Amino acid sequence: MKRYIILLLLSFQGLLAQVQFEAKVSKTTLGLNERLRVDFVMNVDGDNFVQPNFEGFRVIAGPSQQVSQSWINGRSSFEKIYSYFLLPNQKGTLVIKQAAIEYNGQIYKTSPIKINVTAAIQQPNDPNDPNGTQISADDNIYLVADISKTNPFVNEPITVVYKLYFSYNIGITNWRELNKPKYNDFWSQNIDIKQLVAEEGMFKGQKYRYVVLRKTVLYPQKSGKLSIEPLSLDIDVQLPSNRRDMFGRVIVTDGNKRVSAGMKTIAVKALPETGKPDDFSGAVGNFDFKVIPTKTNLKNGESLDLVVSVTGRGNMKLFTLPKPVVPNALEMYDAVHDERVTTGLSGMAGKISDSYTIIPQYKGKYPIKPMQFSYFDLGSGTYKTLTSSEIMINVLDGPEAEDSTAVATAGGAKNKIAKVEQFKFIKLKSTLLPMHEEDFLGSNLFYGLLLFPFLMLPLIVLFRKKKEAFDSDITGNRVRMNNRLAKKYLSEAKKQINNKEPFYVALEKAMHNFLKAKLHIETSEMSKDNIQELLLSRKANPEAVNDFIALTENCEFARYAPASSTSIQQDFDKAVLIISELEKQIV
């Protein structure tokens, strides 16, 4: 009797057991160059596991499956685990979204997990690190930012050259930028690199190969300690192993390494206040200043161009040119700015100019005052001021000013200009007609908007009936849902065409959902013999049926066998062709 009571209690215990399905991570805060392990753990044998899309991460291993079952002191326990290893693609707060399983007709989902990704950190050298952060290429690859000067003046050019050093015994197949450097409080200009060339150089006392990845010219815009955020790369490498093939050649294995140039700090010095001219506009470098008119003798109605230019080497695009002051009798238009500047590793060089068009209004001689341009000379560490000559404009004819002999000087008043009716030709009187405005009340638009709601009522009723009929078609809705799932997984397979295991998982699910949609069957009915019998009974071509079953079996085999990108593309094309043929053949 006691035995039956115990068996009855164990049966009730099994009925009352709760389904547990949760996601566990190795850590919630990690560096950009660290790996993250994610385990999806369930205490029942769930079906149709659906992984999250891992947005913001790159899957480098997985899924791997573990199943364990034990019986201790009359109590059984079951555990199934799907494991993944991920690498973050960006800094910030990332979310591992929900995974899902199906058990006894119910859908169970995990809770989302937030992961905080920080900047790249120094990696440990412990090969037994449980988090898997050790990468064998640690001592063979370095990313270095070479800075020409770490204590410049404001607006003094400095260069940053990013070099990737790698030893002779490894190979690099590809790299991707994870974080681009940010130059806050700097004016920056990238120097184009037409072709990457591997060169030899010394690094840490040893000979390495290196490639120059990026060159940037910077002009600090304020004084103090300014930071340059690092460049981070994700690199695919080939590493030699201790094993050899049958021909005695070293076997090369593929690996992955994330490197960072590190944060750099620039101590920028302010320009000295001693001796700073009042008209200083921020020019730093070595310059020549000129003010040149296209002509100085002209007739009434003619114009001249006054060109104010600066040539030399310095922060050419970061300061303004002085503006000329002309007498009232000369009408001056806004300047046309022109820049002919090139930027190299030593900074900007070239010429900038402002061209002013000037038209005289009266006969006479009119001076244009001398102009001054000040800049800070990096060579001597002092301010310098350049002054142009006075320019005299001689207008040979035209209307006389009220005082035709009066010429404005630097210390005197400007010419007094006589009143001239320049706009006499413009008509001063006009005849205006009132515009006719139609009232909105009683218009066609008014009646149309009034009747529009009543005209829409029959359409609303018809739409509602159509929707009710659509919702009541349970079988049709299920078929349409399975069709959508097949298209979804087929498109997901196309996205994962460069990742073997996710590709074949998505391809297999797409084919299964296609069968669910066409044959109206469930997952439990998907045996090879049953599928073959149902397809043939629906007038499908036997050859297409055999190809479909063979491809389904190949998906399971290919997930754990080596496969090239060519074979993966062929499997995808074959799946599209088979599904298209069966779509036409099944009745």
Side-chain angles (χ1 to χ4, degrees):
M1 185 66 181
K2 292 183 178 179
R3 181 181 301 174
Y4 292 116
I5 293 175
I6 291 173
L7 291 175
L8 184 62
L9 290 174
L10 290 175
S11 301
F12 275 110
Q13 182 180 0
L15 291 174
L16 295 175
Q18 293 183 347
V19 176
Q20 295 181 354
F21 181 43
E22 59 181 342
K24 298 180 180 180
V25 295
S26 57
K27 54 177 69 176
T28 56
T29 300
L30 69 156
L32 189 62
N33 57 338
E34 290 188 285
R35 291 194 291 180
L36 175 70
R37 175 170 177 166
V38 183
D39 295 326
F40 298 97
V41 185
M42 62 192 80
N43 66 342
V44 294
D45 189 8
D47 193 13
N48 293 335
F49 172 73
V50 179
Q51 70 180 43
N53 60 4
F54 298 118
E55 183 178 356
F57 292 91
R58 182 163 65 91
V59 180
I60 60 174
S64 61
Q65 182 177 332
Q66 304 174 27
V67 178
S68 62
Q69 190 170 10
S70 62
W71 187 276
I72 302 175
N73 296 330
R75 177 177 297 179
S76 65
S77 62
F78 177 88
E79 186 177 65
K80 180 190 283 188
I81 302 174
Y82 289 92
S83 299
Y84 295 82
F85 284 92
L86 312 176
L87 271 175
N89 292 328
Q90 62 193 49
K91 293 191 299 183
T93 301
L94 305 179
V95 178
I96 297 178
K97 298 182 180 179
Q98 295 176 313
I101 60 168
E102 182 179 351
Y103 182 72
N104 287 340
Q106 296 290 328
I107 302 296
Y108 298 89
K109 296 183 178 181
T110 61
S111 299
I113 300 178
K114 291 184 178 181
I115 304 297
N116 183 29
V117 181
T118 63
I121 64 174
Q122 185 176 2
Q123 297 174 342
N125 293 322
D126 182 10
N128 299 316
D129 181 15
N131 294 323
T133 57
Q134 172 65 26
I135 300 176
S136 58
D138 280 346
D139 298 328
N140 294 300
I141 301 179
Y142 298 93
L143 181 61
V144 177
D146 286 339
I147 299 178
S148 61
K149 193 172 184 178
T150 57
N151 59 338
F153 282 103
V154 173
N155 273 317
E156 180 180 358
I158 62 173
T159 58
V160 183
V161 180
Y162 294 92
K163 297 179 181 179
L164 181 65
Y165 287 90
F166 53 99
S167 62
Y168 284 85
N169 58 346
I170 70 169
I172 296 177
T173 58
N174 190 23
W175 65 74
R176 295 163 293 277
E177 285 191 0
L178 297 175
N179 274 351
K180 293 185 178 181
K182 295 181 180 179
Y183 310 109
N184 298 327
D185 300 316
F186 290 92
W187 183 94
S188 62
Q189 174 72 51
N190 289 326
I191 307 299
D192 292 336
I193 300 177
K194 296 182 179 180
Q195 186 177 3
L196 298 179
V197 179
E199 302 180 38
E200 294 183 351
M202 299 298 295
F203 182 72
K204 292 188 174 182
Q206 298 182 8
K207 186 176 290 188
Y208 279 81
R209 290 177 295 171
Y210 71 90
V211 175
V212 176
L213 301 179
R214 183 191 289 261
K215 299 178 181 179
T216 306
V217 177
L218 303 178
Y219 283 84
Q221 297 301 292
K222 70 177 186 179
S223 60
K225 292 186 177 181
L226 306 183
S227 298
I228 300 177
E229 295 191 15
L231 170 67
S232 299
L233 301 178
D234 184 9
I235 305 175
D236 296 331
V237 297
Q238 292 181 331
L239 303 170
S241 65
N242 296 325
R243 295 177 293 131
R244 296 180 179 270
D245 59 14
M246 59 184 298
F247 300 104
R249 295 173 299 190
V250 175
I251 297 177
V252 176
T253 60
D254 294 330
N256 179 270
K257 171 69 176 176
R258 291 195 170 189
V259 292
S260 174
M263 183 81 73
K264 301 296 181 182
T265 301
I266 308 297
V268 183
K269 297 179 290 186
L271 296 176
E273 293 294 329
T274 304
K276 179 184 290 187
D278 294 335
D279 61 347
F280 178 70
S281 61
V284 176
N286 188 10
F287 304 103
D288 186 22
F289 176 63
K290 292 182 179 179
V291 180
I292 301 175
T294 55
K295 60 178 73 174
T296 55
N297 297 317
L298 64 162
K299 298 178 181 179
N300 180 40
E302 293 183 340
S303 64
L304 65 92
D305 290 334
L306 185 66
V307 181
V308 181
S309 64
V310 168
T311 57
R313 183 177 298 276
N315 58 334
M316 303 291 294
K317 299 180 180 181
L318 304 177
F319 59 83
T320 57
L321 294 172
K323 185 176 181 179
V325 178
V326 300
N328 284 345
L330 302 179
E331 185 176 0
M332 185 174 68
Y333 293 87
D334 292 338
V336 176
H337 187 71
D338 181 46
E339 293 182 354
R340 299 180 183 179
V341 180
T342 59
T343 304
L345 282 180
S346 58
M348 290 183 277
K351 176 181 179 180
I352 61 173
S353 62
D354 287 341
S355 179
Y356 297 87
T357 298
I358 297 176
I359 301 177
Q361 301 295 315
Y362 307 101
K363 180 180 178 181
K365 293 183 178 181
Y366 305 98
I368 297 178
K369 295 180 180 180
M371 299 174 61
Q372 290 185 340
F373 173 73
S374 300
Y375 66 94
F376 181 75
D377 183 22
L378 293 171
S380 61
T382 59
Y383 292 96
K384 293 185 178 181
T385 300
L386 304 176
T387 305
S388 66
S389 302
E390 181 181 82
I391 299 172
M392 184 66 69
I393 304 301
N394 184 19
V395 183
L396 301 178
D397 59 4
E400 294 281 348
E402 190 174 295
D403 184 3
S404 59
T405 59
V407 176
T409 61
K414 293 183 179 180
N415 292 342
K416 297 180 180 180
I417 307 302
K419 184 184 294 185
V420 180
E421 297 182 3
Q422 299 183 22
F423 305 102
K424 188 175 182 180
F425 62 92
I426 298 178
K427 189 175 181 181
L428 301 179
K429 294 183 179 181
S430 60
T431 304
L432 302 177
L433 299 176
M435 295 179 61
H436 175 67
E437 296 183 359
E438 183 180 355
D439 292 336
F440 173 71
L441 186 63
S443 64
N444 292 335
L445 179 61
F446 170 79
Y447 288 112
L449 294 175
L450 184 64
L451 296 176
F452 180 75
F454 299 97
L455 296 175
M456 289 297 295
L457 285 177
L459 296 177
I460 294 174
V461 173
L462 180 62
F463 174 77
R464 184 171 182 178
K465 288 183 178 180
K466 289 286 186 182
K467 188 175 186 307
E468 290 176 351
F470 182 83
D471 294 339
S472 62
D473 184 11
I474 299 175
T475 302
N477 287 336
R478 187 175 66 178
V479 171
R480 284 187 289 271
M481 181 186 72
N482 288 330
N483 272 328
R484 286 195 300 270
L485 286 174
K487 293 178 180 178
K488 168 190 171 184
Y489 286 117
L490 203 55
S491 63
E492 181 64 25
K494 188 174 182 181
K495 294 177 183 177
Q496 300 291 343
I497 203 164
N498 293 323
N499 301 316
K500 183 187 69 174
E501 291 186 16
F503 167 78
Y504 282 107
V505 170
L507 185 61
E508 185 177 7
K509 288 184 178 181
M511 298 176 71
H512 283 178
N513 282 287
F514 172 75
L515 290 180
K516 289 182 181 181
K518 293 300 178 183
L519 303 181
H520 312 298
I521 60 176
E522 299 298 332
T523 304
S524 58
E525 302 176 89
M526 285 191 181
S527 66
K528 181 175 70 175
D529 296 334
N530 190 32
I531 291 172
Q532 187 173 15
E533 180 181 351
L534 289 174
L535 288 174
L536 292 175
S537 66
R538 298 289 291 275
K539 308 300 182 184
N541 190 329
E543 183 179 352
V545 174
N546 292 334
D547 290 342
F548 184 89
I549 293 175
L551 184 58
T552 304
E553 294 174 346
N554 184 49
C555 287
E556 183 66 26
F557 173 76
R559 289 169 59 185
Y560 306 101
S564 64
S565 59
T566 303
S567 62
I568 292 175
Q569 182 65 46
Q570 290 175 352
D571 287 343
F572 178 79
D573 296 338
K574 189 173 183 180
V576 174
L577 180 61
I578 292 172
I579 290 177
S580 300
E581 290 180 356
L582 291 177
E583 180 77 28
K584 300 174 184 177
Q585 296 169 8
I586 295 176
V587 296

